[in-house]
Amino acid sequence: MSNLSDISRGLILMAFGMVVMSIMDAIVKHLTDSISAPQILFFRSFFGLLPLLIIAWRKGGKRAVYTRKPLVHMVRAGLAAVAFVSFTIGLREMSLANALAISFAAPFFAVCFSALLMGERVGFHRIFALVAGFGGVVIVLQPDDGILGDGSGYFLLVAVTYALAQVIARKYRETETGLSFSFWTMTGMTILGAVSMLFYWEEMTPEIWGWAFAMGIFGGLAAYCMTEAVRAAPTVVVSPMEYTALIWGALFDWMFWQVFPEQATIVGSLVIVASGIYILWRERSYKEEIKIL
């Protein structure tokens, strides 16, 4: 059982990870006006490998990233690449706050995939949270106002592919470590980005190179903080901190693009956050019931 210091450390790491991840997202949005999505994918993944290589070296080198399931990592890397490219393309047309709000539908898709791929039970409480969460997404989308044509489809694809990648990680958690998943997924994304950007290369100025480097480093640092957070404290405790990215997204929208969140975005985000936290709370309650039995 995690003690108070471990829980505090986990919360701080996850909160800091969300700040860093949000900075990376803002850089991605900035770069969408200058270079192609495949280029952004490559530089985010390539430079993001640097922190992971340091971590792997500290934890034993090759042994730390050894895998028994290379095909699983290939599939997960493909899903992650689709998610990131979709996120990048969608950001050209949508604010960070809206994009993140829709992307946070991932936990609800994860519940569906867990039932289909892992045979997990989906009871009344999960169904209730799913319906409420999708209701929040619909509020943010504002289909009557035509927002579905403003890149929303890309972020729904982000939610689906990200959720599937997370469920795959859960399914094979007995044979694969968190570091091996992060390392090989990032490696696969780097290879996919390198191949695809050959067909979509756009010239880069020294300033763009600097932003690309910063994007990768921030992304790698965020991944490290999030991984260490769930190692230090229970997932059910630290995961709600991920929703603080909505706050940072709205703040960066206002600071850099003078975009203010609409009322529908705020209301829908609150519904999505509440539904996601409810699912996490139910997961903990369900595990405690099993332990008692």
Side-chain angles (χ1 to χ4, degrees):
M1 182 176 180
S2 301
N3 57 41
L4 185 59
S5 61
D6 287 337
I7 291 176
S8 298
R9 179 170 174 267
L11 288 171
I12 292 172
L13 281 168
M14 184 61 78
F16 181 70
M18 287 301 100
V19 175
V20 178
M21 182 66 76
S22 299
I23 294 173
M24 186 205 74
D25 290 340
I27 295 175
V28 169
K29 184 172 177 62
H30 172 66
L31 288 175
T32 56
D33 293 329
S34 305
I35 56 178
S36 68
Q39 283 175 278
I40 295 175
L41 170 65
F42 171 77
F43 291 113
R44 183 265 180 269
S45 306
F46 178 76
F47 290 127
L49 268 175
L50 298 180
L52 294 177
L53 286 171
I54 295 173
I55 297 169
W57 174 70
R58 291 179 57 190
K59 293 184 179 296
K62 292 181 180 180
R63 290 179 297 174
V65 296
Y66 174 78
T67 176
R68 300 177 184 176
K69 303 287 184 180
L71 183 60
V72 170
H73 289 288
M74 289 174 60
V75 172
R76 195 167 184 270
L79 290 169
V82 170
F84 186 80
V85 170
S86 299
F87 186 82
T88 302
I89 295 173
L91 277 180
R92 293 173 179 170
E93 305 179 46
M94 185 177 286
S95 68
L96 269 178
N98 275 19
L100 291 170
I102 299 170
S103 299
F104 275 126
F108 314 119
F109 286 111
V111 170
C112 297
F113 288 135
S114 294
L116 292 172
L117 300 179
M118 301 179 66
E120 293 186 356
R121 181 172 60 88
V122 181
F124 168 79
H125 293 280
R126 279 185 169 186
I127 293 175
F128 170 78
L130 281 172
V131 173
F134 281 121
V137 173
V138 171
I139 292 173
V140 175
L141 289 175
Q142 303 175 66
D144 291 339
D145 294 337
I147 195 172
L148 284 173
D150 294 337
S152 301
Y154 289 111
F155 296 107
L156 288 174
L157 182 59
V158 170
V160 171
T161 50
Y162 179 78
L164 187 53
Q166 293 302 96
V167 171
I168 289 175
R170 286 180 58 191
K171 185 176 178 65
Y172 294 96
R173 65 183 180 273
E174 298 298 328
T175 61
E176 306 299 306
T177 65
L179 181 58
S180 70
F181 269 123
S182 298
F183 177 81
W184 291 115
T185 297
M186 199 72 72
T187 299
M189 291 171 65
T190 301
I191 295 172
L192 291 171
V195 173
S196 58
M197 77 174 181
L198 294 176
F199 304 95
Y200 298 95
W201 178 263
E202 296 184 26
E203 291 300 320
M204 297 173 59
T205 65
E207 179 184 356
I208 296 302
W209 277 101
W211 283 117
F213 177 77
M215 171 185 62
I217 296 299
F218 279 123
L221 180 59
Y224 172 73
C225 290
M226 294 165 66
T227 301
E228 288 298 306
V230 295
R231 288 185 56 184
T235 303
V236 70
V237 174
V238 299
S239 289
M241 294 301 294
E242 293 185 35
Y243 293 109
T244 59
L246 290 168
I247 299 174
W248 295 110
L251 178 62
F252 293 151
D253 278 337
W254 171 69
M255 288 176 60
F256 302 121
W257 294 281
Q258 290 73 54
V259 174
F260 297 89
E262 299 177 1
Q263 183 177 5
T265 301
I266 297 173
V267 174
S269 297
L270 290 174
V271 174
I272 293 170
V273 170
S275 302
I277 293 176
Y278 183 71
I279 287 178
L280 289 168
W281 175 75
R282 283 298 305 172
E283 290 288 332
R284 183 180 66 175
S285 300
Y286 178 66
K287 290 178 181 178
E288 289 178 349
E289 289 173 6
I290 291 177
K291 289 179 181 178
I292 292 173
L293 293 174

